[in-house]
Amino acid sequence: MNQVTSKQQIYNYLYKISHEYLLDHLSDFTTITISKELNISRSLTSQYLNELVKDQKVIKISSRPVYYLSRGNLEQIYHVILKDNEYLSVQELLSELKNHTPELKDFQKVIGCEGSLSYAISQIKSALLYPDGLPMILYGEKGCGKTYLVRCMIEFCQNNLHTKQPVQLYMKRIMPRECANEQMKELFGYEQDGQIHKGVLEKAEGQLLCIQNATDLCDLAQEKLADFIRYGKFTRLRNDLVQVQSKLRIVLCAEKDPRTILNPNLLLNIPILCHIPGLSERSEDERTQLVVHFFQQEQKRSKRHILISEKLKHFLVDHQFEININELEKSVKAICANAFAEAQDREEMEVRIYHLPIYLLKQISIDRYEKDDDIFVRIDSFERHELGEKILHMWEQMLQAYLDMEEGKYSMSRFFELGQEAVRHYYDILVFDESYRDVRIDVMKNIVIDVLNVIKNIKNIVLPVNCAYVLTRMIISTGRNTSLLNQWEAAHQKEIRECLQKMSETLVDESIIASQIVKQLQTAINIPLSDMNKIFLMLNIRMYNKDLRAQDTLGIILSHGYSTASSIADAANSLLGMYVFEAIDMPLDTPVDEISHKLNVYIQNNTYLKNIILLVDMGSLEGLGDGLADSVNVGVINNISTSLALNIGDKIMQHYNLETLLSEACAENQCHYKVLSLAKRDKAIVFTNDVGVAVSQKLSQLFRDSLPRSIDLKFIEYDYDTLMKNKKSDSLFEKYDVVLMVKPYNLKLKRVTSVSLEEIMSFKDIDVVNHVLRPYLDEAEIEEFNRRLLKNFSMQSVMENLTILNAPKLLDFVSDAVQDLQLLMQKKFQSRTIIGIYIHVCFLVERAVTKTTFDKCENLSEFVAQHEDFIEQVHQSFDVLLRHYHIEMPISEIAYLYEYISNDDREVLGEDEF
């Protein structure tokens, strides 16, 4: 029998008591206490403890008194690998442990909270935070984690809802083939012989009620549950006279898509539907985290350090478990149980392929996995790689490069090179290493692409396609106030601000362009972009644009009146397609000194400006330049008008020097006159489309419903075919002054201000509409109009108003079909193209269902001969939709669809190449 040495006795003692006390009773970890407990001299105890520190088995805290802790226990409990063997104080040790184990709350604990589950969790939070809560449905394959998310909801409610009583969870499982009468009794209660038997809805009052297997509810229970959700009241069985009230939050869980199974009335009353992806739909990073998490649980339970073989890890990450996460967790428990029998007398436990449960071993060839030497990895050494953490690593590299430059380690140019290397590296990770889909990314990416395309075209710069993708993910990740990115930015706010300031001073042109992108993005998505987003943009702009010249001249319009200057500036900026003019509106009695002060503040906040052109409406304002800061060149021109502003704006964009610009603008803007017709024409907004006048009438009504009040404008619905034939010579333009036309893209009318239905629905070119309405509505009313327009012209709202069919179901079919068509054509449609296709196909289905013909395409035989591939792709991608509605796709409809896609391609050629 082997004799245990004194040194080993000391280590065994530390290891044993650490499981019970650790940081709670530090007095048990001193040299004196250990010496007394083991009857070993104090000097020998001290000697052996220090040797164990050198052997990296014990951690030493050099305080008064000195403490010795089991390194293995610390690393096992906190899931870290400590960097040092010795710490100056307990606080220093705790600080390192805390940095590696941040305090996570509710949904932050969920693996994938910033990845594949981010959208579902944002929906859940919205439902829980809404006053009195919104009912929701979680659906996904068995074992995908629905119940775990429900339990996280309870913690989220406790952390965020200030209710009198803490929200508790009430679970109700619906059994398959359960008697309908029993379901009704259990859910709604019943009365018998004068006795009241409460149901689940009463028992769960004030709680979060989770109904599992909701698709097994009988139709009658679903109908009655829908009425309860709508009215907050229900009746018990055998008593239809007494209305029972109950306030609670409701979550339904289902394994299949509820839209294909649940009662339509119930679905109509549940606004939040969250799809929970199965294990195979999760990214490899998330599957790895789940494997590591379950082994860490068993490590804590077995009190053994677990070392996992790389081959076993790869098998568990790649294997498709039928019951998803639940089966993975069960398999990990079985693996650890099998391995524990071999490691009862050891501190470490190796887990291998052959420790798998028998049913899994039968599915693989052990020889294939075990014939080569295997590598074992400490389960605590695996790092999490959530999306936010990946972005955080990129940000940390950028900021560290700046801090090293400030310490003199690098030059400024080397700092930019290191920052650009970080950007390139994380392009690869963020773009190619994510296998899950997030519907918000697609929607927001289209908005970001539109903004970047506008700046790209105006500034003639290059940006990579991946810039929009990565920037979108950064915006989504930083949109959560509790995200790692927000916490990191708050902790490094001073250094980030200094870094941005230094970059802005050095990269002046890049800073100007990045600021314009940030400003337009914030306007488009109403989400503030952080300083790190701007640093990221500046590095991208510098990386892909070597000879960059930004706009260093700005026009400022000053005019007396409520919104005269703003109206001219808005119109000029919209028509020029670039932000060239600022506006200052002034009451008539505004003193010149006050105006000079405003201008000086503006100059101080925009130090990149070299030239300012003041466009004023009265000669008395020409002396303003005398009181301005001498850091910029100032030119003044009077008698401002929209045409003069356009002339000057065009010259600013062409980088004219100041004196040439002013002299040529004055020479080119002479007064002209002509006699106009004395008859006054009514101003009108005209609606026309290729489906029919009835649809134009409904669109007109939706537009009018968006106005905060009636205005002095005519709303005309006009025949599309007549306009296509007559163009601008149509009698419509003799009778009315058409200030705006809402029309299809393929109707081209010169000198007519117009937008398409697609542009309204995507909220693009809304400034054109606002400019038309500004003479009739003030700015507050314009904002109200925009809010209503955004609501009334959402895809679902438009289709619900324009089609007789079930709009949500129809849109789901169309969405899937368009996605398949893009895959078959191997191209990505523009966002406005997708909206246009949605509208056209929905009307196509309605025409086919109602037997209404569509014969506006000629030369169909020639089309069939030339585009057989496209016809086959359409039939293939729309097959499910066509079979569902029992209709066929006429060649005329396919030809129209082809023309629409081709026409939009021509109009926005290159829009996605930035």
Side-chain angles (χ1 to χ4, degrees), residues 480-586:
R480 307 181 189 92
N481 292 329
T482 57
S483 73
L484 291 170
L485 298 177
N486 294 97
Q487 296 173 15
W488 183 84
E489 281 194 289
H492 299 84
Q493 186 177 21
K494 181 176 179 289
E495 299 96 319
I496 293 170
R497 193 169 295 161
E498 291 173 353
C499 177
L500 179 58
Q501 179 66 29
K502 180 77 73 173
M503 289 180 66
S504 299
E505 292 171 357
T506 308
L507 306 177
V508 177
D509 296 340
E510 288 85 348
S511 176
I512 295 169
I513 294 173
S515 295
Q516 290 177 335
I517 293 174
V518 168
K519 186 173 183 178
Q520 291 204 26
L521 277 175
Q522 290 181 170
T523 301
I525 62 179
N526 198 29
I527 297 176
L529 271 68
S530 69
D531 287 343
M532 286 306 301
N533 293 141
K534 187 173 178 181
I535 290 172
F536 170 80
L537 279 169
M538 290 172 66
L539 288 171
N540 272 276
I541 295 167
R542 182 182 189 276
M543 187 162 40
Y544 294 97
N545 301 271
K546 300 306 179 186
D547 300 318
L548 188 64
R549 183 178 181 188
Q551 200 70 48
D552 57 7
T553 301
L554 185 79
I556 299 180
I557 300 174
L558 298 102
S559 184
H560 294 87
Y562 177 71
S563 61
T564 309
S566 297
S567 298
I568 296 174
D570 288 345
N573 288 335
S574 296
L575 293 168
L576 292 168
M578 182 175 175
Y579 190 79
V580 180
F581 293 106
E582 276 282 355
I584 298 179
D585 296 303
M586 307 170 296

Side-chain angles (χ1 to χ4, degrees), residues 415-674:
F415 157 59
F416 290 141
E417 288 175 7
L418 292 172
Q420 289 167 187
E421 285 176 11
V423 170
R424 289 193 193 96
H425 175 64
Y426 281 92
Y427 269 171
D428 294 337
I429 291 178
L430 290 167
V431 174
F432 300 112
D433 194 32
E434 297 297 336
S435 58
Y436 64 88
R437 284 183 57 80
D438 185 331
V439 294
R440 292 174 307 162
I441 290 178
D442 294 334
V443 174
M444 191 167 300
K445 184 177 69 174
N446 290 332
I447 298 173
V448 174
I449 285 174
D450 286 342
V451 170
L452 294 184
N453 279 334
V454 169
I455 300 297
K456 176 203 74 171
N457 293 330
I458 292 172
K459 297 295 185 181
N460 193 27
I461 62 170
V462 176
L463 285 172
V465 174
N466 292 340
C467 181
Y469 185 88
V470 176
L471 183 59
T472 301
R473 287 179 170 252
M474 289 166 63
I475 293 170
I476 288 175
S477 291
T478 53
R480 307 181 189 92
N481 292 329
T482 57
S483 73
L484 291 170
L485 298 177
N486 294 97
Q487 296 173 15
W488 183 84
E489 281 194 289
H492 299 84
Q493 186 177 21
K494 181 176 179 289
E495 299 96 319
I496 293 170
R497 193 169 295 161
E498 291 173 353
C499 177
L500 179 58
Q501 179 66 29
K502 180 77 73 173
M503 289 180 66
S504 299
E505 292 171 357
T506 308
L507 306 177
V508 177
D509 296 340
E510 288 85 348
S511 176
I512 295 169
I513 294 173
S515 295
Q516 290 177 335
I517 293 174
V518 168
K519 186 173 183 178
Q520 291 204 26
L521 277 175
Q522 290 181 170
T523 301
I525 62 179
N526 198 29
I527 297 176
L529 271 68
S530 69
D531 287 343
M532 286 306 301
N533 293 141
K534 187 173 178 181
I535 290 172
F536 170 80
L537 279 169
M538 290 172 66
L539 288 171
N540 272 276
I541 295 167
R542 182 182 189 276
M543 187 162 40
Y544 294 97
N545 301 271
K546 300 306 179 186
D547 300 318
L548 188 64
R549 183 178 181 188
Q551 200 70 48
D552 57 7
T553 301
L554 185 79
I556 299 180
I557 300 174
L558 298 102
S559 184
H560 294 87
Y562 177 71
S563 61
T564 309
S566 297
S567 298
I568 296 174
D570 288 345
N573 288 335
S574 296
L575 293 168
L576 292 168
M578 182 175 175
Y579 190 79
V580 180
F581 293 106
E582 276 282 355
I584 298 179
D585 296 303
M586 307 170 296
L588 288 171
D589 57 352
T590 305
V592 174
D593 290 346
E594 183 178 331
I595 301 170
S596 295
H597 175 71
K598 288 184 178 180
L599 288 171
N600 278 319
V601 170
Y602 186 85
I603 292 169
Q604 291 170 11
N605 293 333
N606 296 271
T607 54
Y608 64 88
L609 290 174
K610 296 178 181 178
N611 306 295
I612 288 181
I613 300 172
L614 301 178
L615 292 83
V616 300
D617 64 345
M618 299 175 71
S620 60
L621 295 176
E622 291 182 14
L624 276 173
D626 299 335
L628 297 184
D630 56 7
S631 59
V632 294
N633 302 313
V634 180
V636 184
I637 190 167
N638 65 9
N639 298 325
I640 177 59
S641 66
T642 303
S643 62
L644 177 59
L646 288 172
N647 187 298
I648 290 174
D650 183 59
K651 289 176 170 54
I652 289 175
M653 292 166 61
Q654 295 181 56
H655 302 284
Y656 275 52
N657 70 59
L658 187 62
E659 290 191 13
T660 303
L661 186 155
L662 292 171
S663 63
E664 290 191 10
C666 288
E668 293 168 3
N669 282 270
Q670 302 297 323
C671 292
H672 304 279
Y673 77 92
K674 67 179 288 189

